[in-house]
Coordinates of all heavy atoms in Angstrom, one line a residue:
Chain A
H72 N 9.5 -28.3 -4.1 CA 8.2 -28.6 -3.6 C 7.2 -27.4 -4.0 O 7.6 -26.3 -3.8 CB 8.2 -28.8 -2.1 CG 8.9 -30.1 -1.7 ND1 8.3 -31.2 -1.2 CD2 10.2 -30.4 -1.8 CE1 9.2 -32.2 -1.0 NE2 10.4 -31.7 -1.4
V73 N 6.0 -27.8 -4.3 CA 5.0 -26.8 -4.7 C 3.6 -27.3 -4.2 O 3.3 -28.5 -4.3 CB 4.9 -26.7 -6.3 CG1 3.7 -25.8 -6.7 CG2 6.2 -26.2 -6.9
D74 N 2.9 -26.4 -3.6 CA 1.5 -26.6 -3.2 C 0.6 -25.8 -4.0 O 0.9 -24.6 -4.3 CB 1.3 -26.2 -1.7 CG 1.9 -27.2 -0.7 OD1 2.6 -28.2 -1.2 OD2 1.7 -27.0 0.5
V75 N -0.5 -26.4 -4.4 CA -1.5 -25.7 -5.3 C -2.9 -25.8 -4.8 O -3.3 -26.9 -4.4 CB -1.4 -26.3 -6.7 CG1 -2.3 -25.5 -7.7 CG2 0.0 -26.3 -7.3
I76 N -3.6 -24.7 -4.8 CA -5.1 -24.8 -4.7 C -5.6 -24.8 -6.2 O -5.4 -23.8 -6.9 CB -5.7 -23.6 -4.0 CG1 -5.1 -23.4 -2.6 CG2 -7.2 -23.7 -3.9 CD1 -5.6 -22.2 -1.8
W77 N -6.2 -25.9 -6.5 CA -6.8 -26.0 -7.9 C -8.2 -25.4 -7.9 O -9.0 -25.8 -7.1 CB -6.8 -27.4 -8.4 CG -5.4 -28.0 -8.5 CD1 -4.9 -29.0 -7.7 CD2 -4.4 -27.7 -9.5 NE1 -3.6 -29.3 -8.1 CE2 -3.3 -28.5 -9.2 CE3 -4.4 -26.8 -10.5 CZ2 -2.1 -28.4 -10.0 CZ3 -3.2 -26.7 -11.3 CH2 -2.1 -27.5 -11.0
Y78 N -8.5 -24.6 -8.9 CA -9.8 -24.0 -9.0 C -10.6 -24.7 -10.1 O -10.2 -24.8 -11.2 CB -9.6 -22.5 -9.4 CG -10.9 -21.8 -9.6 CD1 -11.7 -21.4 -8.5 CD2 -11.4 -21.5 -10.9 CE1 -12.9 -20.7 -8.7 CE2 -12.6 -20.8 -11.1 CZ -13.3 -20.4 -9.9 OH -14.5 -19.7 -10.1
D79 N -11.7 -25.3 -9.6 CA -12.6 -26.0 -10.6 C -12.1 -27.1 -11.3 O -12.5 -27.4 -12.5 CB -13.1 -24.9 -11.6 CG -14.5 -24.4 -11.2 OD1 -15.1 -24.9 -10.2 OD2 -15.1 -23.6 -11.9
I80 N -11.1 -27.9 -10.8 CA -10.7 -29.1 -11.4 C -10.6 -30.2 -10.4 O -10.3 -29.9 -9.2 CB -9.4 -29.0 -12.2 CG1 -8.2 -28.7 -11.3 CG2 -9.5 -28.0 -13.4 CD1 -6.9 -28.7 -12.0
E81 N -10.9 -31.4 -10.7 CA -11.0 -32.5 -9.8 C -9.9 -33.5 -9.9 O -9.8 -34.5 -9.1 CB -12.4 -33.2 -9.9 CG -13.6 -32.3 -9.6 CD -13.5 -31.7 -8.2 OE1 -13.1 -32.4 -7.3 OE2 -13.9 -30.5 -8.0
S82 N -9.1 -33.4 -11.0 CA -8.0 -34.3 -11.2 C -6.7 -33.5 -11.6 O -6.9 -32.3 -12.1 CB -8.3 -35.3 -12.2 OG -8.6 -34.8 -13.4
H83 N -5.6 -34.1 -11.4 CA -4.3 -33.4 -11.7 C -4.3 -32.9 -13.2 O -4.7 -33.7 -14.1 CB -3.1 -34.3 -11.4 CG -3.0 -34.7 -10.0 ND1 -2.5 -34.0 -9.0 CD2 -3.3 -35.9 -9.5 CE1 -2.6 -34.6 -7.9 NE2 -3.1 -35.9 -8.1
P84 N -3.9 -31.7 -13.5 CA -3.7 -31.3 -14.9 C -2.6 -32.2 -15.5 O -1.8 -32.9 -14.9 CB -3.2 -29.9 -14.8 CG -3.5 -29.4 -13.4 CD -3.5 -30.6 -12.5
Y85 N -2.7 -32.3 -16.9 CA -1.8 -33.1 -17.6 C -0.3 -32.7 -17.2 O 0.1 -31.6 -17.2 CB -2.0 -32.9 -19.1 CG -1.0 -33.7 -20.0 CD1 -1.3 -35.0 -20.2 CD2 0.1 -33.1 -20.6 CE1 -0.4 -35.8 -21.0 CE2 1.0 -33.8 -21.3 CZ 0.7 -35.2 -21.5 OH 1.6 -35.9 -22.3
G86 N 0.5 -33.8 -16.9 CA 1.9 -33.6 -16.6 C 2.2 -33.3 -15.1 O 3.3 -33.2 -14.8
W87 N 1.2 -33.2 -14.3 CA 1.4 -32.9 -12.9 C 1.3 -34.2 -12.0 O 1.9 -34.3 -11.0 CB 0.4 -31.9 -12.4 CG 0.7 -30.5 -12.9 CD1 0.5 -30.0 -14.1 CD2 1.1 -29.4 -12.1 NE1 0.9 -28.7 -14.2 CE2 1.3 -28.3 -12.9 CE3 1.4 -29.2 -10.7 CZ2 1.7 -27.0 -12.5 CZ3 1.9 -28.0 -10.3 CH2 2.0 -26.9 -11.2
K88 N 0.5 -35.2 -12.4 CA 0.2 -36.3 -11.5 C 1.5 -37.1 -11.2 O 1.6 -37.5 -10.0 CB -0.8 -37.2 -12.2 CG -1.3 -38.4 -11.3 CD -2.4 -39.2 -11.9 CE -2.8 -40.3 -11.0 NZ -3.9 -41.1 -11.6
T89 N 2.4 -37.2 -12.1 CA 3.6 -37.9 -11.9 C 4.4 -37.4 -10.7 O 5.1 -38.1 -10.0 CB 4.5 -37.8 -13.1 OG1 3.7 -38.3 -14.3 CG2 5.8 -38.7 -13.0
Y90 N 4.2 -36.1 -10.5 CA 5.0 -35.4 -9.4 C 4.2 -35.2 -8.1 O 4.7 -34.5 -7.2 CB 5.6 -34.1 -10.0 CG 6.4 -34.3 -11.2 CD1 5.8 -34.2 -12.5 CD2 7.7 -34.7 -11.1 CE1 6.6 -34.4 -13.6 CE2 8.5 -35.0 -12.2 CZ 7.9 -34.8 -13.5 OH 8.7 -35.1 -14.6
S91 N 3.0 -35.7 -8.1 CA 2.2 -35.4 -6.9 C 2.6 -36.3 -5.7 O 3.2 -37.4 -5.8 CB 0.7 -35.7 -7.2 OG 0.5 -37.1 -7.4
C92 N 2.3 -35.7 -4.5 CA 2.6 -36.4 -3.3 C 1.2 -36.7 -2.6 O 0.2 -36.0 -2.8 CB 3.3 -35.6 -2.3 SG 4.8 -34.9 -2.9
D93 N 1.1 -37.8 -1.9 CA -0.1 -38.1 -1.1 C 0.3 -38.2 0.3 O 0.8 -39.2 0.8 CB -0.7 -39.4 -1.7 CG -2.0 -39.7 -1.1 OD1 -2.5 -38.9 -0.3 OD2 -2.6 -40.8 -1.3
L94 N 0.0 -37.2 1.1 CA 0.4 -37.1 2.5 C -0.8 -37.5 3.4 O -2.0 -37.3 3.0 CB 0.8 -35.7 2.9 CG 1.9 -35.1 2.1 CD1 2.4 -33.7 2.7 CD2 3.1 -36.0 1.9
D95 N -0.5 -38.1 4.5 CA -1.6 -38.4 5.5 C -1.6 -37.3 6.6 O -2.2 -37.5 7.7 CB -1.4 -39.8 6.0 CG -0.1 -40.0 6.7 OD1 0.7 -39.0 6.8 OD2 0.3 -41.1 7.0
S96 N -0.9 -36.2 6.4 CA -1.0 -35.1 7.3 C -1.1 -33.8 6.4 O -1.1 -33.9 5.2 CB 0.2 -35.0 8.2 OG 1.4 -34.6 7.4

Side-chain angles (χ1 to χ4, degrees):
Chain A
H72 294 248
V73 174
D74 284 6
V75 184
I76 304 177
W77 296 111
Y78 179 76
D79 259 1
I80 61 173
E81 299 300 324
S82 58
H83 301 282
Y85 179 77
W87 285 71
K88 187 174 182 180
T89 306
Y90 302 95
S91 68
C92 309
D93 186 3
L94 305 186
D95 56 8
S96 71

